[in-house]
Amino acid sequence: MAGGQVTFGTLLRELRLAASLTIEGLAETSGVSVRGIGDLERGRRAAPQRRTVAALADGLGLGDAERERLLVAARTGRVPGYSPAGVSSFPRGIDDFIGREHEFKQLTDLAHRSAVDGEGGEDGPRGHTGPDVVVISGPPGAGKTTLALQAAQEVADAFPHGQLVVDLRGTADEPAGPAELMLGVLKALQVADRDLARVGPEGHPELYRQMLADQRCLLVLDNARDEAQVRPLLPSAGTGMVLVTSRRMLTGLDSVRRLPLGELGPQEATALLAGLVGADRAAADPAALAEVAELCGHLPLALRVAGNWLATRTGWSVRRLADRLAREDRRLNVLSAGDVHVSAAFELSYQQLTPTAARLFRRLALVPGADTSPTAAAQLVGQDLFDTEDTLEELVETGLLGSNGTRYRLHDLLRLYARTRLSAEESAADADAARAALHSWLLETATVAGRWYEPDYGALPADWSGDVDLSTADLARAWLQAEGDNWLAAYRTAAANGDHSTVVEVAEALHWFSDQWIFWGHWTEVFDTAARSAQALGDPLVEATQLNYHAWALSLIEGRHQDSLDRAAQALAAAERARDLSQQAWAHTYQHSAYRRIGDFERSMGHTLRAAELFEACGDLNGALQARFGLAALLVESGRPAEGLTRFAETFAFVEESGDRIAPHIARFSRIQMHSVSSRAHRQLGDWDSAVGHLRTALELSQDNPGMISRTFNSLGHTLLEAGRTGPARDAFLSCVAVGPEADPSRVADAREQLALLDAAPEPPPGDSSP
């Protein structure tokens, strides 16, 4: 009894016994857990929510009068003798909440699942009883608090005994300690001062745990500094829920659910901006709005600052702000509104770093690409690799650095902030030295990695002492692709500084590797830059070589066949000055290739026959293979498929006879090309099965060469279409589209067009089948 009223637990037990049910029996008929019913009857838990009462009433088979009596007891039991701190006391700023649908649903689903008698605590994935604890972590300005408060508002009804927000002041110079915070919670729960005095400060932790175990409360611990501050505040029992927000990941906390936040998606970011500036202004220039969102790095804090800034300056267009933000040196200054500054949010986290971590954070601004590896980061600070990994993880833990596998990335705005700290705290000479060390390492490693694919090199040199694992060609390729943006930037800097020998050395090392990564998008620039450096060096043989590489890229990658012809002619002239037969032959090969692609078969034939003679004269097997392929391809494309197939048979035999005198990757790439053009010959002859078979073989050989895979799938789609096999053709075009960003963009565009045509066409006849 409490104040003359029958408690919910007492009444529940009376009704259960009257129905001749055990606790286990009621659990079976109601769906409420045995533990939940037991805790309710013993008064260990507050009265449940209405839906749980309804489930118990159904399980007991109660009539209307007894059901209403149970509901009244439940409502009475929810008044524990103190006033809960409700959501109405939460900070403002969540009425325009946009985005985070997935994370929001995770939080609300978790709250509602555990609302029915705490069953989530008993059977949840953590494998222990007690309240659900969720750590929401992310970089400064990611909207952690906003998400937590919005979710708390949504699920408030699931926590009838209180919804408390506690600011842990984790970024303050002297954050609140656990004892102070516990006392604040106890007072918010209106624990009497006499009770607090009776147990004394040493008894507050036990009283805190008991209060949260007995009541179903939602506790938001906002802005936590570290595990030591949070751990004592986490209740070990009860059916409540705790949301912890922190810039740190709080890795040391056990048995918690983790919800990391990053920036918003592009559509979410523009929607948030549109809500702040108004629909009319947003619709007036959607491109500018998207640009502002991108320049804000899709970071919620930056978006709110930019949106509020525009909202208070109605005479400004969105384009005007976009233009101001476009200046990197001014962007952080522009991103301030009143007393809210994006850079100030970053500063709070930066000031908590150790000196070693702060130094690495500053110098990460020198990384030219979007991300970096621990080995590259080590070059910036001259630190041991393992120590660098530890420092990087410290930055990740504090929310100042993102990670994806073995790669680390600074958010765009954090990169700008790191740059300001670098300028303020280190000399220009020290920054230049760190940048030079990184660039030198990148170019040296790129050269060694690329030489895996050069016929005269292959395996690593005996004196290689680098700290990157380049022990196989596949590892070398993976490194070159992962660090592509970074070594390309270093390459550009070397060219700008007049380091022509290094530029040429790197380009030469990467020549055959370029076949493995054809549609990266930068080979034309790489070889054009190398050709200019070669000209500056005044060596006609080096000049001819790099001009030939550039001619290859212009024709094969960009389809600029006339420009390729001009470059190849320059290469031929330089090779003749150098009296080098091999480069003369390559110049003729590239002229043959360009003429073949524009349909001038007569000139193409002359150049390929001359190339074959020169390759034979100088004993260049790799070149001789290309000349043989070129002649066979020319015959096919000029309408002589049978002759072309005969030449291809001879060329396949030539590859086999040459054995390991032709590098395996060169032989494989050539076979891919030969099978692709052989398929074309069979198409001309109407032999569809053979045409498809050659392309299937080409796909098998392409392995991890996305450029060739996309081209082959596209050719397969067209071949199957011509054969009347629309179903398999559709699958081939879909596979082409699915290859990814390293595919041939022109073939992907064509595949999309073909799929659209197929979608618009009538259904294929019943006889359509796979080969």
Side-chain angles (χ1 to χ4, degrees), residues 466-522:
D467 45 10
V468 177
D469 186 359
L470 301 177
S471 57
T472 68
D474 286 343
L475 288 170
R477 173 172 50 201
W479 185 91
L480 286 165
Q481 292 178 334
E483 295 287 0
D485 289 346
N486 291 326
W487 66 252
L488 177 63
Y491 182 82
R492 290 167 174 163
T493 300
N497 292 340
D499 189 357
H500 300 305
S501 296
T502 296
V503 168
V504 168
E505 183 182 24
V506 172
E508 182 65 35
L510 295 171
H511 164 228
W512 284 104
F513 168 72
S514 61
D515 283 339
Q516 310 299 311
W517 200 20
I518 299 176
F519 299 104
W520 171 41
H522 298 288

Side-chain angles (χ1 to χ4, degrees), residues 303-427:
L303 293 166
R304 288 189 178 279
V305 168
N308 290 336
W309 206 91
L310 280 172
T312 57
R313 291 162 177 81
T314 56
W316 277 58
S317 67
V318 179
R319 168 54 55 193
R320 186 175 177 184
L321 178 59
D323 291 342
R324 283 172 62 88
L325 290 172
R327 288 186 53 183
E328 284 193 349
D329 59 331
R330 298 284 301 166
R331 190 174 305 161
L332 288 177
N333 291 333
V334 173
L335 287 174
S336 61
D339 62 348
V340 180
H341 306 269
V342 172
S343 58
F346 298 160
E347 179 75 13
L348 291 172
S349 291
Y350 178 72
Q351 292 300 329
Q352 293 182 2
L353 295 176
T354 62
T356 300
R359 179 167 174 257
L360 179 56
F361 173 77
R362 295 191 299 268
R363 292 193 174 187
L364 284 174
L366 300 172
V367 175
D371 59 15
T372 190
S373 66
T375 317
Q379 314 307 312
L380 290 169
V381 289
Q383 196 177 29
D384 174 83
L385 175 60
F386 294 110
D387 290 339
T388 302
E389 289 177 334
D390 290 342
T391 307
L392 288 167
E393 288 303 321
E394 178 182 342
L395 293 173
V396 171
E397 179 69 28
T398 59
L400 290 176
L401 189 64
S403 65
N404 181 16
T406 60
R407 309 290 297 177
Y408 294 85
R409 173 183 175 268
L410 276 177
H411 184 275
D412 291 346
L413 295 181
L414 280 167
R415 179 187 297 272
L416 295 179
Y417 175 74
R419 191 179 299 170
T420 66
R421 301 320 311 154
L422 181 67
S423 176
E425 298 182 41
E426 299 195 40
S427 68

Side-chain angles (χ1 to χ4, degrees), residues 33 91 123 164 187 191 198 277 454 513 529 560 604 630 681 729 769-770:
S33 71
D123 305 317
L164 311 177
K187 287 188 174 183
V191 175
R198 175 174 54 79
V277 306
E454 290 296 295
F513 168 72
T529 301
R560 295 163 54 188
S604 179
S769 60
S770 302

